[in-house]
């Protein structure tokens, strides 16, 4: 896949929320006594780590891809499946459960280095723990690219089909239902009924969209090593899953072009060089490399 593919068009859709703010509420609990009410609302919008609304990378990417009223992802999106598997691997990396093998004297590339178990302590997330169990039981270890194919079932090796994580989107949607973000409905599509998950809490999705927009606009930093690792992963995996457009569509034309240009800058980075820097999470860069190979 070309790194900049999908970044030159702008598709306006009725399914994307038209505002990025929406509802921090009028809370007065800010730790800064002299903060104005507007700043308090912005802080609430940015507080995505509260226990009530904390979402995994997988849930955030799926939420971006779901149509608000219809409650399902585009039938034409064939990228989100593998994108969600990439999210799972990065979540395991961020939580210290997996890592890449050492590069060695020959300085192996990110795409050829194997992913190995660092800790088998359960994460508490069913999907993550299922993937972690597969990594633990696999000997010899496999590369990031292979794991994305195995977990999505897109492999030619019938012996590896047992690694496939099934019904990932439905399971993630149910997680979001439990967190109050989505609801569950039945829709009739002439020949069959389908369970859908329309948006229930618009504030949380607005908060997510605003967080992404701000990261490439008002809070942009020119050094990728200074960008929050989880946010960096969210931006590039949303692009790999073909759902990033949904976060940028509400922007005015100038901000849209600026946001897209900065995403292209991230896509054009030397992932090998970034992974070699201190305090870098190699699993994140290896997943990026796999999607842009």
């Amino acid at each position: 896949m070309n790194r900049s593919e999908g970044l030159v068009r702008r598709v306006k859709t009725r399914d994307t929320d038209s505002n990025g703010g929406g509802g921090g509420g009028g809370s007065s609990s800010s730790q800064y006594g002299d903060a104005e009410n507007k700043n308090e609302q912005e802080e609430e919008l940015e507080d995505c780590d509260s226990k009530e609304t904390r979402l995994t990378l997988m849930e955030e990417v799926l939420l971006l891809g779901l149509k608000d009223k219809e409650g399902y992802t585009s039938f034409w999106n064939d990228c989100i499946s593998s994108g969600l598997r990439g999210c799972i691997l990065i979540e395991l990396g961020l939580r210290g459960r997996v890592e890449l093998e050492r590069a060695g004297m020959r300085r192996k590339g990110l795409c050829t280095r194997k992913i190995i178990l660092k800790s088998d302590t359960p994460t508490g997330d069913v999907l993550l723990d299922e993937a972690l169990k597969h990594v633990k039981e696999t000997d010899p270890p496999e590369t990031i690219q292979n794991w994305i194919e195995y977990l999505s079932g897109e492999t030619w090796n019938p012996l590896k089909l047992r690694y496939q994580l099934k019904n990932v989107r439905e399971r993630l949607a149910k997680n979001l239902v439990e967190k109050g973000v989505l609801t569950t409905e039945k829709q009739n599509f002439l020949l069959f009924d389908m369970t859908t998950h329309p948006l229930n809490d618009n504030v949380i999705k607005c908060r997510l969209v605003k967080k992404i927009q701000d990261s490439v606009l008002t809070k942009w930093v020119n050094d990728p090593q200074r960008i929050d690792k989880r946010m960096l992963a969210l931006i590039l995996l949303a692009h790999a899953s073909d759902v990033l457009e949904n976060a940028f569509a509400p922007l005015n034309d100038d901000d849209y072009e600026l946001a897209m240009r900065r995403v292209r800058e991230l896509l054009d980075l030397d992932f090998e060089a970034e992974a070699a820097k201190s305090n870098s999470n190699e699993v994140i860069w290896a997943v990026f490399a796999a999607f842009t190979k």
Side-chain angles (χ1 to χ4, degrees):
M1 178 188 297
N2 186 290
R3 292 186 182 184
S4 298
E5 183 180 346
L7 288 174
V8 295
R9 74 188 192 284
R10 179 169 192 180
V11 180
K12 293 185 178 180
T13 170
R14 291 175 297 175
D15 299 314
T16 306
D17 296 326
S18 60
N19 63 74
S27 172
S28 60
S29 59
S30 171
Q31 59 179 328
Y32 303 104
D34 59 346
E36 296 181 357
N37 192 49
K38 180 179 178 181
N39 292 334
E40 290 177 0
Q41 292 177 356
E42 289 177 353
E43 283 182 11
E44 288 184 13
L45 284 174
E46 293 166 4
D47 182 18
C48 294
D49 292 326
S50 67
K51 291 181 180 179
E52 292 80 8
T53 60
R54 190 169 202 168
L55 306 180
T56 64
L57 280 174
M58 303 89 74
E59 291 166 350
E60 288 179 323
V61 167
L62 180 67
L63 186 56
L64 286 174
L66 283 174
K67 299 181 179 183
D68 293 355
K69 295 180 180 180
E70 292 85 346
Y72 51 83
T73 57
S74 170
F75 295 126
W76 307 109
N77 188 340
D78 57 357
C79 301
I80 195 169
S81 178
S82 57
L84 290 172
R85 273 63 175 188
C87 290
I88 289 172
L89 294 173
I90 287 183
E91 275 282 1
L92 291 175
L94 289 173
R95 299 187 187 205
R97 300 309 197 274
V98 298
E99 62 184 356
L100 290 189
E101 65 176 345
R102 294 186 180 278
M105 294 295 293
R106 293 187 176 183
R107 301 301 303 173
K108 292 181 180 178
L110 290 171
C111 292
T112 59
R113 292 165 64 186
K114 308 298 177 60
I115 193 169
I116 58 177
L117 186 72
K118 186 176 181 181
S119 169
D120 62 357
T121 304
T123 66
D125 182 281
V126 176
L127 274 173
L128 293 178
D129 289 341
E130 188 176 336
L132 185 63
K133 180 174 180 288
H134 290 327
V135 173
K136 180 181 179 180
E137 295 175 349
T138 301
D139 188 28
E142 298 280 359
T143 64
I144 289 279
Q145 179 69 56
N146 286 345
W147 272 117
I148 291 174
E149 293 174 357
Y150 296 161
L151 296 176
S152 61
E154 297 176 0
T155 174
W156 293 101
N157 188 340
L159 299 178
K160 304 296 184 179
L161 288 176
R162 62 190 178 92
Y163 293 139
Q164 181 181 3
L165 298 180
K166 298 181 179 179
N167 303 317
V168 168
R169 271 176 269 190
E170 179 63 22
R171 292 159 74 179
L172 289 173
K174 287 182 178 179
N175 288 349
L176 290 170
V177 170
E178 292 178 2
K179 294 180 180 181
V181 182
L182 304 178
T183 187
T184 301
E185 295 181 357
K186 286 280 188 182
Q187 287 197 29
N188 181 270
F189 288 86
L190 296 180
L191 299 178
F192 62 93
D193 290 333
M194 185 174 83
T195 300
T196 60
H197 299 283
L199 189 65
N200 182 56
D201 190 336
N202 188 55
V203 172
I204 293 179
K205 184 161 186 178
C206 285
R207 184 183 296 159
L208 172 62
V209 169
K210 183 179 187 299
K211 179 176 70 170
I212 296 173
Q213 292 174 350
D214 286 350
S215 68
V216 292
L217 293 173
T218 60
K219 297 183 178 180
W220 174 253
V221 291
N222 245 351
D223 181 1
Q225 295 296 328
R226 292 172 53 207
I227 300 176
D228 176 75
K229 291 182 175 64
R230 184 170 290 275
M231 175 52 64
L232 180 67
L234 176 58
I235 293 171
L236 294 189
L237 285 174
H239 167 260
S241 303
D242 200 19
V243 299
L244 188 59
E245 168 75 19
N246 296 344
F248 290 164
L251 295 172
N252 63 53
D253 290 344
D254 290 341
D255 284 345
Y256 179 89
E257 291 302 323
L258 179 59
M260 285 301 194
R261 184 166 71 247
R262 287 172 171 171
V263 172
R264 280 194 291 270
E265 290 175 16
L266 295 177
L267 292 169
D268 290 337
L269 288 170
D270 184 337
F271 296 152
E272 297 283 352
E274 295 299 328
K277 294 179 180 178
S278 60
N279 199 35
S280 181
N281 188 303
E282 293 181 316
V283 173
I284 294 178
W285 296 106
V287 171
F288 295 166
F291 278 113
T292 55
K293 187 176 179 182

